[in-house]
Amino acid sequence: MTEPRTTAPPTAARVTTAPPVAGQTAQTAPLHGVRVLDLATLFAGPLAATLLGDFGADVVKVEHPDRPDPSRGHGPSKDGVGLWWKLLGRNKRTITLNLSTPGGRDTLLRLAATADVIIENFRPGTLEKWDLGWAELSAANPRLVLARVTAFGQFGPYAHRPGFGTLAEAMSGFASITGEPDAPPTLPPFGLADSIAGLATAYAVMTALTARDRTGEGQVVDMAIIEPILTVLGPQPLWYDQLGYVQARTGNRSANNAPRNTYRTADGDWVAVSTSAQSIAERVMRLVGRPELIDEPWFATGAERAAHTDVLDEAVGSWIARHTRADVLAAFEKAEAAIAPVQDVRDVLADPQYQALDTVTAVDDPELGRIRMQNVLFRLSATPGAIRWAGRPHGADTDAVLTELGLTADELTTLREAGAL
């Protein structure tokens, strides 16, 4: 357990070896009293549920009894425990439920009657096949918000295709502008589109809950993973619509300003420089000993500077190549010019700014002991979020959650014998 994340860093970490029972969530948490059923797998939908849980929602992770969320086995593990799940499954109670069985269906409807939100990412029509579509769920709870997260959305020619975030990164235009001009389009080595969609889904859910507070009725959120990543790519459709302009791959360079690139230091490290502001660009030129470039007519705008990137990159790159990373960073800081080291995860964990923000925090876990992971996404001064526990074992809270629902021990036994749990 960690201290709630506020605008000031924590003074000490409080730890626990098991999640609190229902009702022990801090009353000050902004989403205290909101119940979320996380039926989704892998990344986009579950991440949205994680973000809600970080700020106090009671998130119940529903997994198949025999086929748990694949994120439990995704990437490296330690002692047979998946590490990605520890992050993605934090602040969630875990139960097993086979929704394709009559007992599983009935139990989910009972859970839905107590819930505020359901997040799912089955292919369109799957819930309907199990008689768990919006008609049945909203009948059980008219105030329910159902967030449906799929690759392509609930309708259209691609709706029933299998899909992952990688396809969204390709389809959206992201890959086409990423990489060097003479190299193939580049896909990110992590779940970028899924993560953006997870953030967007959490926002959509909170929007729907706010509307429910006004109307008294829930609704369906239709989140297509191919769409949020297109939004963050900026005005590409507008550029093309009005100018016929198609953004090309420029590597680490920018078509909007220069110098903007990564540069190698004398000791073999790399730094990133950005000069989006005119004043910063001028400071950099003075720092690297090329003040005469400031007087060039083309230096006055970012786009014109970008047209002379070769000249500016040579000026900045040659100066940086003669100095160590430490000296480069110190000189740029003194000149009030924008720069950052290119860091890997080892550097991130040692970075004093991240440490000051408690961006990566420590959590006690009964399976792995003390573990470090990213903290909650943002700080609130009055109603902070917190990591109450890391990802729990598969089905660890089934009996507790369903007993809270009113099921007896005999009913649980019957459901298990029927393959519903």
Side-chain angles (χ1 to χ4, degrees):
M1 184 174 185
T2 64
E3 289 287 347
R5 196 173 192 206
T6 62
T7 52
T11 56
R14 291 183 287 113
V15 299
T16 183
T17 56
V21 298
Q24 286 187 330
T25 302
Q27 296 287 336
T28 56
L31 298 183
H32 174 74
V34 174
R35 169 169 278 193
V36 179
L37 303 182
D38 176 8
L39 277 57
T41 57
L42 287 177
F43 306 118
L47 176 59
T50 301
L51 297 174
L52 300 173
D54 284 350
F55 286 89
D58 175 21
V59 180
V60 177
K61 175 73 175 180
V62 180
E63 298 174 87
H64 192 281
D66 303 318
R67 297 188 299 274
D69 189 322
S71 66
R72 290 182 179 274
H74 210 83
S77 62
K78 180 182 179 182
D79 300 332
V81 178
L83 299 178
W84 205 323
W85 168 252
K86 286 297 175 185
L87 174 67
L88 193 62
R90 74 186 188 192
N91 292 335
K92 300 179 183 181
R93 297 193 288 167
T94 64
I95 72 170
T96 59
L97 207 57
N98 185 346
L99 303 182
S100 65
T101 66
R105 173 192 179 274
D106 293 345
T107 303
L108 183 71
L109 288 175
R110 291 179 66 174
L111 283 168
T114 72
D116 298 280
V117 180
I118 291 180
I119 301 175
E120 62 97 0
N121 69 338
F122 299 107
R123 284 200 216 180
T126 300
L127 283 183
E128 285 75 9
K129 179 179 65 176
W130 296 331
D131 293 326
L132 286 170
W134 177 239
E136 291 82 8
L137 291 171
S138 61
N141 182 356
R143 292 174 55 81
L144 184 68
V145 170
L146 174 63
R148 315 195 77 167
V149 186
T150 57
F152 306 111
Q154 294 295 309
F155 57 91
Y158 303 166
H160 292 277
R161 291 182 181 180
F164 300 98
T166 297
L167 307 190
E169 289 145 12
M171 285 181 60
S172 63
F174 172 85
S176 73
I177 65 169
T178 304
E180 295 298 326
D182 56 352
T186 300
L187 294 167
F190 65 99
L192 176 64
D194 278 306
S195 298
I196 296 172
L199 292 165
T201 301
Y203 165 62
V205 165
M206 295 308 303
T207 302
L209 288 175
T210 301
R212 187 193 68 178
D213 290 343
R214 186 173 64 252
T215 66
E217 296 181 355
Q219 60 184 299
V220 177
V221 172
D222 180 3
M223 179 62 66
I225 296 173
I226 61 172
E227 292 184 303
I229 189 172
L230 181 59
T231 296
V232 304
L233 287 176
Q236 288 190 29
L238 182 59
W239 286 340
Y240 180 74
D241 176 66
Q242 295 297 303
L243 302 172
Y245 172 72
V246 179
Q247 185 173 348
R249 289 192 293 284
T250 56
N252 292 321
R253 293 179 170 184
S254 169
N256 302 311
N257 68 82
R260 191 265 196 183
N261 212 327
T262 58
Y263 306 94
R264 195 168 190 176
T265 64
D267 49 353
D269 286 319
W270 293 85
V271 295
V273 173
S274 178
T275 57
S276 296
Q278 181 71 19
S279 60
I280 298 295
E282 294 176 4
R283 291 172 195 167
V284 170
M285 290 303 105
R286 294 190 186 98
L287 171 62
V288 302
R290 298 294 301 276
E292 75 279 3
L293 293 176
I294 300 172
D295 297 324
E296 293 287 346
W298 49 261
F299 197 87
T301 69
E304 283 295 309
R305 292 200 309 274
H308 295 79
T309 296
D310 288 342
V311 174
L312 296 173
D313 268 354
E314 192 282 328
V316 175
S318 62
W319 184 89
I320 288 176
R322 298 193 300 271
H323 299 81
T324 66
R325 186 175 84 164
D327 288 343
V328 169
L329 295 175
F332 268 72
E333 182 175 359
K334 183 177 180 181
E336 296 185 352
I339 193 171
V342 176
Q343 301 189 147
D344 64 21
V345 67
R346 294 167 296 186
D347 303 313
V348 169
L349 292 176
D351 187 282
Q353 182 60 33
Y354 280 131
Q355 290 179 348
L357 297 173
D358 196 31
T359 305
V360 178
T361 196
V363 182
D364 260 36
D365 179 72
E367 292 183 288
L368 297 177
R370 195 85 163 153
I371 60 177
R372 288 186 289 178
M373 64 175 65
Q374 296 95 319
N375 210 330
V376 301
L377 193 59
F378 49 86
R379 288 163 292 278
L380 295 179
S381 61
T383 57
I387 303 172
R388 301 186 299 282
W389 62 86
R392 299 268 288 153
H394 181 226
D397 305 292
T398 301
D399 286 6
V401 171
L402 297 186
T403 298
E404 292 169 11
L405 193 62
L407 274 69
T408 66
D410 288 343
E411 287 176 307
L412 294 175
T413 299
T414 299
L415 288 171
R416 283 196 169 88
E417 290 175 346
L421 301 185

